[in-house]
Amino acid sequence: MRRMAVAVIGVLAAIVHAQSTAMNTLGERYVRLVLAMGPHDADYVDAYYGPPAWRREVDAEKVPLAQITIRAETLAKEIAAAAPAASADELTRLRHQYLARQLDALRTRAAMLTGTRLSFDEESKALYDAVAPTHAEAEFAGVLAALEARLPGSGPLVDRYDQFRQEFIIPKDRLDAVFTAAIDGCRARTLQHIQLPPDERFTVEYVTGKSWSGYNWYQGNFRSLIQVNTDLPIYIDRAVDLACHEGYPGHHVYNVLLETNLVRDRGWMEFSVYPLFSPQSLIAEGTANFGIEVAFPRSDRLEFERLVLFPAAQLNPERAAGYYDVLALVDRLSYAGNEAARRYINGQIDARAAAEWLEKYGLYSRPRAEQRVRFIDQYRSYVINYNLGKDLVAAHVDARGGTADNPARRWAEFEQLISSPRLPSGLAPRTR
Ligand SMILES: [Zn+2]
């Protein structure tokens, strides 16, 4: 009887092993397809730290888009046929669903590059596995009225807001000191809850001429390059936002944990490549934005700003609370940015009208509105990954008990989410 049980376990182990070997082969073919997209779409391959030979081979082959599409169709069928049993462990099932869905997004992006036109919502559903809610102009009226009262005067509200913010610009010669202090603060808080490899680190570079304000380029081996765009003045709130979002516990930590848990521990090589226009981006941006609040709940943040960052930037710490009150209101206009992008991508308004919409309903100053329209030109429906992504991630962590009044659980659920391949449509549903 005992010998029989051992034999059965042996057979089961062999089946699991064969399944995982089959998935590894499918995963490698997916990696090669993602890499093959690179020459057709400069923004597509955001990170790759798998075997350099795979990239060399793919580059040498110069795969045309039509061929990528055919290979992706074949691969999709084989992945569908390799579905694990419903009784398989959760991570095995997540791996399979994730690979299938990521490949679907690749096929959509390839179709877009060959001329397929999608509406904003069709595109976000296909690429990011989510659709952002729509909002009418009137829905922003309450917040705009509250800001009118908070920033009284004549002239457009956006100008008064811009004027109000002047006082909170980080002087250029203090930028690096302020960012270093912010990164140290974010890292220290993250390390209290998440164990990271001892040799993880990132470098910061200051750049110009970009449509984004900050970017994390993950390089593998637990290293990131973080770039900060200095085209426009940088306000003090961006220090913690960028340090958490790009670094700890945001993109850098997310990539380090995927590399540790999935690529190195399990040999799941499909996670060594990150295609930007894919569901992975909603999870990446959503966790990076929610991570700001996880690391710095409001009162902690205000204290850190007053005691550390405002002095480092030589700004008046007594003004911090008032500044963050106004920012909390402006943050509620974030979905106005999705509306501008949706109408613009759908061809209902032109670039100029999109910039005007951002000024009026999102309180972007003119240069920032123009920078944002360039971002929408480049990344299109990607914009939803920041605000909808954050809200979906927050709801997921909340629903699993990681509420604001239970920080230990909040960190644990957050870490769990950034260590596993979960799709946006697989997040716990919003309960409120
Ligand atoms: Zn980001």
Side-chain angles (χ1 to χ4, degrees):
M1 192 64 199
R2 176 127 176 236
R3 194 174 300 166
M4 175 109 140
V6 170
V8 168
I9 288 167
V11 169
L12 283 176
I15 292 171
V16 168
H17 178 74
Q19 265 182 350
S20 115
T21 308
M23 276 299 286
N24 289 349
T25 308
L26 299 170
E28 178 182 336
R29 283 165 59 192
Y30 160 82
V31 173
R32 288 173 181 271
L33 282 178
V34 172
L35 294 176
M37 290 281 283
H40 303 286
D41 181 348
D43 292 320
Y44 191 72
V45 183
D46 195 74
Y48 176 62
Y49 53 88
W54 293 3
R55 177 169 248 164
R56 277 199 304 275
E57 287 158 21
V58 169
D59 284 351
E61 198 189 347
K62 293 189 176 51
V63 194
L65 275 174
Q67 185 59 35
I68 293 175
T69 303
I70 293 168
R71 289 184 196 176
E73 270 175 38
T74 310
L75 181 56
K77 286 185 191 134
E78 290 181 46
I79 291 173
S87 57
D89 69 281
E90 188 188 33
L91 205 53
T92 300
R93 283 181 286 118
L94 288 178
R95 179 193 191 189
H96 180 266
Q97 289 162 7
Y98 192 84
L99 186 60
R101 190 64 186 79
Q102 287 284 110
L103 182 64
D104 277 350
L106 179 148
R107 294 166 73 190
T108 297
R109 185 70 185 173
M112 287 169 65
L113 292 172
T114 49
T116 298
R117 297 186 65 86
L118 299 174
S119 71
F120 183 86
D121 289 344
E122 288 167 347
E123 180 187 304
S124 79
K125 176 85 186 140
L127 295 183
Y128 310 116
D129 198 29
V131 173
T134 55
H135 296 276
E137 288 89 325
E139 293 178 59
F140 304 110
V143 177
L144 291 171
L147 282 161
E148 284 282 356
R150 187 68 185 68
L151 305 168
S154 56
L157 176 60
V158 64
D159 293 347
R160 276 176 272 148
Y161 175 54
D162 196 47
Q163 188 58 40
F164 168 76
R165 291 189 96 186
Q166 294 299 313
E167 189 189 332
F168 303 98
I169 292 171
I170 305 170
K172 272 213 158 152
D173 63 343
R174 307 298 305 157
L175 212 49
D176 198 47
V178 172
F179 271 111
T180 302
I183 291 162
D184 289 349
C186 295
R187 187 166 185 274
R189 279 162 178 76
T190 301
L191 285 176
Q192 283 174 17
H193 301 276
I194 298 180
Q195 198 184 343
L196 295 175
D199 50 343
E200 61 77 22
R201 78 172 74 105
F202 65 70
T203 44
V204 179
E205 267 179 22
Y206 298 91
V207 299
T208 54
K210 305 293 179 189
S211 67
W212 36 256
S213 57
Y215 212 109
N216 176 310
W217 304 97
Y218 191 66
Q219 300 175 316
N221 286 318
F222 314 133
R223 304 281 199 284
S224 292
L225 168 64
I226 293 179
Q227 292 185 323
V228 176
N229 181 4
T230 58
D231 281 339
L232 297 173
I234 298 177
Y235 302 104
I236 189 67
D237 52 290
R238 295 298 289 154
V240 162
D241 282 2
L242 277 174
C244 284
H245 180 104
E246 309 296 346
Y248 307 92
H251 294 322
H252 176 67
V253 171
Y254 171 66
N255 284 297
V256 165
L257 292 183
L258 289 184
E259 182 174 359
T260 304
N261 295 315
L262 303 184
V263 177
R264 293 197 182 201
D265 286 0
R266 294 172 187 270
W268 293 359
M269 294 309 291
E270 65 267 30
F271 293 94
S272 68
V273 76
Y274 172 13
L276 192 68
F277 305 110
S278 71
Q280 179 167 5
S281 279
L282 184 134
I283 302 293
E285 301 299 357
T287 52
N289 267 355
F290 182 55
I292 301 168
E293 280 172 31
V294 174
F296 282 98
R298 189 176 157 77
S299 58
D300 287 10
R301 170 140 185 195
L302 204 51
E303 188 181 67
F304 184 69
E305 299 279 352
R306 268 203 310 256
L307 296 180
V308 179
L309 296 186
F310 273 60
Q314 293 169 343
L315 303 178
N316 179 1
E318 287 172 20
R319 303 280 290 141
Y323 182 55
Y324 279 93
D325 284 346
V326 170
L327 286 191
L329 281 170
V330 175
D331 188 52
R332 290 168 57 192
L333 299 172
S334 134
Y335 279 79
N338 294 359
E339 292 305 324
R342 180 186 280 115
R343 288 159 202 230
Y344 178 49
I345 294 296
N346 288 349
Q348 294 163 322
I349 56 175
D350 62 12
R352 190 191 160 92
E356 281 164 5
W357 175 283
L358 287 167
E359 276 188 292
K360 187 167 177 191
Y361 296 104
L363 292 194
Y364 285 67
S365 65
R366 181 43 67 116
R368 277 174 209 282
E370 286 169 354
Q371 185 188 60
R372 193 62 179 169
V373 172
R374 289 198 297 279
F375 184 93
I376 298 167
D377 279 329
Q378 191 172 355
Y379 299 105
R380 301 170 55 92
S381 65
Y382 193 94
V383 295
I384 72 155
N385 293 330
Y386 298 99
N387 46 21
L388 181 65
K390 177 188 165 184
D391 289 346
L392 292 178
V393 164
H396 173 83
V397 170
D398 234 40
R400 293 163 72 110
T403 47
D405 56 2
N406 191 349
R409 182 73 185 272
R410 174 167 272 206
W411 274 103
E413 288 297 338
F414 183 82
E415 180 178 6
Q416 167 79 19
L417 179 57
I418 58 174
S419 307
S420 57
R422 197 172 285 278
L423 290 165
S425 57
L427 294 171
R430 289 205 244 191
T431 50
R432 56 184 159 89

